[in-house]
Amino acid sequence: MRGNADMREMNVAVMVSGGGTNLQALLDAAADGRLQHARIALVLSSQEDAYAIERSRRAGVPVIVVSKQTHPDDEERADAILAALAGAETDLVVTAGYMSILAKNVCSHYAGRMINIHPSLLPKYGGVGFYGLRVHEAVLAAGEKETGATVHYVDDQGVDSGAIILQGRSPILEGDTPETLQKRILAEVEHPLIVEGTNLVIQKLRDKDFS
Ligand code: GAR
């Protein structure tokens, strides 16, 4: 019995909206074996023109677009997301640059099995209105000396409110702009952190399977 469970790969679904460099970090890790006991089974995009879709196609990963255009009704959109995730037999959802706020029923369905990466040291600079470049603009405007990124569970209580899993830090350098900061945090902090965080939660889910 246990032998079979040991062999099982977890199905990871990655939710994206834009460039997808965090998705790429996961695809690269899956390709060279750093993502352990898991495969990227599905990419779900909230935007039909996201460059992340091209990255998925190149890696041979199926893509489903569920957007405000394909599903204007909020409830139907949430149902379509749940159906897409179920269709891929998703064990773990990773939201990586997903710029839409997920419906509560989607978050609660995947409680403990859905993680997000956010480009700040949460709880600072998180919540509604803090996303993408805006986070780095706010960090610089506040005169912070360091910043970073956080991998955390997604819960149904609020935006960026779930338990923190991992954080990575980086100093703010003289002359940093929101763009240089974003680029550096992505490359030096987020990309390794999302792989580490995903591996950690997969390991937790496997441990649970065996207990
Ligand atoms: C990343 O910095 C990610 O942490 C952030 O958007 C960027 C997406 O980049 N996410 C949020 O701000 C969510 N609140 P990517 O598409 O290249 O991975």
Side-chain angles (χ1 to χ4, degrees):
M1 290 292 280
R2 184 172 168 131
N4 280 343
D6 263 339
M7 296 296 288
R8 192 171 99 76
E9 286 202 319
M10 296 268 167
N11 287 325
V12 177
V14 185
M15 298 185 68
V16 297
S17 298
T21 66
N22 278 295
L23 166 67
Q24 191 66 58
L26 287 168
L27 291 170
D28 292 348
D32 67 19
R34 281 173 299 123
L35 191 72
Q36 282 160 6
H37 310 296
R39 63 187 197 107
I40 313 288
L42 175 71
V43 168
L44 214 161
S45 178
S46 69
Q47 298 291 331
E48 67 177 6
D49 58 353
Y51 186 65
I53 294 176
E54 176 59 29
R55 296 179 189 275
S56 319
R57 295 220 164 107
R58 258 192 255 149
V61 175
V63 179
I64 296 179
V65 176
V66 178
S67 67
K68 289 193 175 160
Q69 285 71 44
T70 60
H71 298 80
D73 179 77
D74 288 352
E75 246 175 69
E76 284 174 16
R77 195 164 59 254
D79 287 347
I81 289 171
L82 284 173
L85 294 173
E89 297 183 22
T90 301
D91 297 295
L92 173 66
V93 182
V94 180
T95 60
Y98 187 71
M99 298 304 187
S100 227
I101 293 175
L102 280 164
K104 270 184 180 236
N105 63 321
V106 176
C107 300
S108 55
H109 188 89
Y110 284 94
R113 300 189 294 138
M114 183 182 272
I115 63 175
N116 175 52
I117 185 150
H118 184 79
S120 77
L121 294 170
L122 289 174
K124 282 180 155 185
Y125 310 104
V128 177
F130 285 114
Y131 56 88
L133 205 58
R134 288 183 184 210
V135 176
H136 304 291
E137 284 166 356
V139 165
L140 287 177
E144 297 283 357
K145 298 267 178 288
E146 71 165 0
T147 185
T150 303
V151 173
H152 64 93
Y153 285 105
V154 174
D155 67 14
D156 63 2
Q157 300 300 301
V159 175
D160 301 327
S161 54
I164 290 173
I165 299 165
L166 280 175
Q167 289 190 312
R169 294 167 181 273
S170 176
I172 287 165
L173 305 179
E174 183 103 17
D176 260 336
T177 63
E179 289 78 10
T180 62
L181 198 54
Q182 181 180 52
K183 210 171 154 196
R184 196 170 67 249
I185 296 296
L186 275 167
E188 293 179 10
V189 184
E190 292 191 52
H191 297 162
L193 202 71
I194 195 152
V195 175
E196 197 185 342
T198 303
N199 271 328
L200 222 144
V201 176
I202 287 166
Q203 194 51 54
K204 273 204 171 124
L205 295 174
R206 281 169 57 85
D207 290 348
K208 225 191 219 167
D209 266 7
F210 297 150
S211 61

